[in-house]
Amino acid sequence: MPAFPNQIHKRGFASLSPERRVEIARKGGGSVPAEKRSFSQNRTLARTAGAKGGSAKKAQPE
């Protein structure tokens, strides 16, 4: 906890200007070639993975 709560400095993305954050967000996934994006190429694979993840979440005790 900072000694002076009113003097908290922003870090990471919070310190960037809104324009810079938008610029970075637009690049999301751009470095991955299309042939490596398996879920965008194979809808069945994506559906199976989603169902598998959903069932794993439901199986955990609360």
Side-chain angles (χ1 to χ4, degrees):
M1 186 115 189
F4 302 101
N6 295 335
Q7 295 181 352
I8 295 174
H9 297 285
K10 293 181 179 179
R11 301 183 328 179
F13 283 105
S15 67
L16 299 175
S17 70
E19 295 83 17
R20 180 72 176 130
R21 279 184 265 166
V22 169
E23 180 185 335
I24 291 171
R26 283 190 180 137
K27 294 180 180 180
S31 63
V32 181
E35 62 271 5
K36 297 282 185 172
R37 297 183 202 149
S38 59
F39 289 158
S40 66
Q41 303 295 320
N42 187 340
R43 297 183 72 132
T44 306
L45 179 63
R47 188 178 308 114
T48 304
K52 188 175 183 180
S55 65
K57 180 68 176 171
K58 292 175 189 172
Q60 293 177 354
E62 293 185 26

